[in-house]
Amino acid sequence: MSEAETRPPRWPLLLGIVALLLTGALALLGGWLWVLGGPAGNEARDGGVSYPAASQDGYAVWERNDDGVPVRWDPCEPIELVLAPDGWPDGTRADLEAAIDTLQRASGLDLDVVGTTDERPSGSRLPYQPERYGDRWAPVLVAWAEPGEAGLPLRDIDRGVAVPVAVGADGDRTYVSGQVVFNLERDDLEPGDADRQSSWQATILHELAHLLGLAHVDDPEQLMYTYPGEGPVTLGDGDRRGLEAVGEGHDCRPAPAADAVEVAPAP
Ligand SMILES: [Zn+2]
């Protein structure tokens, strides 16, 4: 899910297809489970996929499991991030750290940068790469890239894109991996938190909130508003309730064991 423009888009978007980007069959524990790719484009309502409306509490999530709780990460394990070092604009590493700190405080989840990698983001990235990361789900890849690099659903106008990956049977899914990729060509944005409209920190915070499970809302007071708003970079009340809803206030949710996954090509 990405932040793209400061005004509504002028044409229907081809992307925004949550289930198709990384949907594949996963043979695991003798059964067929599904890998669900996160939102790809910046306008989820286009592309023929409908998302649940924002709750009365002012937030929206990509999906809920059968127990009514949003699809979420295991709150009892750190969410590991690995950074591709190329291309980060000056100051944006500090923005990442600030965004992580904000999200940890709001959600109670532990986001842990575990190192750097020479892996590049890709529209067909596998969430299980034992040769690179060992016998576990691949950490979330955070990178800067050119629009369209390696089939990424990142367009010229996008600021970034977040693709969380959930595994498990329908109605019983858990996030286990993903990618968060920012647009190298958006040199109109600046590091820092002075203004949502032009801030990389706001963009990083917004995309990482997508990674944790939040979707857009139609409320300019929230950072999860579809379009970058104005004013200082802060979470709105709805954002905070959403982060609590996907946060540590629920039981542990051990992820299925990592295993080979088929990944469909990006649309
Ligand atoms: Zn977004």
Side-chain angles (χ1 to χ4, degrees):
M1 203 61 176
S2 59
E3 282 197 307
E5 300 175 289
T6 57
R7 61 186 188 280
R10 292 162 294 179
W11 59 85
L13 301 175
L14 297 176
L15 300 176
I17 303 173
V18 173
L20 294 183
L21 174 66
L22 283 176
T23 300
L26 168 64
L28 187 64
L29 302 176
W32 286 101
L33 305 177
W34 289 96
V35 174
L36 176 67
N42 81 312
E43 285 308 312
R45 58 179 175 253
D46 293 323
V49 178
S50 60
Y51 295 112
S55 72
Q56 292 181 338
D57 291 331
Y59 67 89
V61 297
W62 297 128
E63 188 181 12
R64 291 181 185 270
N65 280 325
D66 288 345
D67 62 4
V69 176
V71 175
R72 57 195 173 96
W73 293 79
D74 179 3
C76 301
E77 295 291 336
I79 300 169
E80 294 187 335
L81 312 178
V82 65
L83 311 184
D86 293 344
W88 290 66
D90 290 345
T92 51
R93 286 290 288 269
D95 285 340
L96 175 69
E97 292 169 10
I100 286 174
D101 184 61
T102 297
L103 291 171
Q104 290 187 145
R105 291 171 187 269
S107 70
L109 299 173
D110 180 12
L111 285 81
D112 190 7
V113 176
V114 297
T116 60
T117 179
D118 61 2
E119 183 188 7
R120 291 300 300 163
S122 165
S124 57
R125 182 187 192 236
L126 295 171
Y128 178 60
Q129 303 181 46
E131 69 292 343
R132 184 184 290 275
Y133 297 113
D135 188 21
R136 62 192 179 115
W137 295 111
V140 175
L141 179 61
V142 182
W144 295 74
E146 302 284 346
E149 177 178 332
L152 288 170
L154 180 69
R155 302 162 305 157
D156 291 342
I157 59 171
D158 291 332
R159 297 171 175 226
V161 63
V163 185
V165 173
V167 297
D170 188 20
D172 187 25
R173 291 188 172 116
T174 308
Y175 291 125
V176 297
S177 188
Q179 298 181 87
V180 179
V181 184
F182 301 102
N183 188 342
L184 267 174
E185 295 186 349
R186 288 297 300 265
D187 54 11
D188 54 314
L189 302 180
E190 300 176 348
D193 60 356
D195 192 285
R196 290 167 160 186
Q197 195 76 253
S198 58
S199 160
W200 271 125
Q201 190 175 129
T203 301
I204 294 171
L205 190 55
H206 178 104
E207 298 300 338
L208 288 179
H210 280 318
L211 177 77
L212 298 184
L214 298 190
H216 285 155
V217 294
D218 187 21
D219 175 1
E221 297 301 313
Q222 310 304 320
L223 200 64
M224 297 317 292
Y225 184 49
T226 308
Y227 309 106
E230 297 179 347
V233 179
T234 56
L235 296 176
D237 291 345
D239 298 321
R240 292 188 179 280
R241 283 189 285 266
L243 290 166
E244 288 178 6
V246 297
E248 67 172 349
H250 301 286
D251 293 340
C252 295
R253 189 171 175 79
D259 205 341
V261 172
E262 284 184 34
V263 178

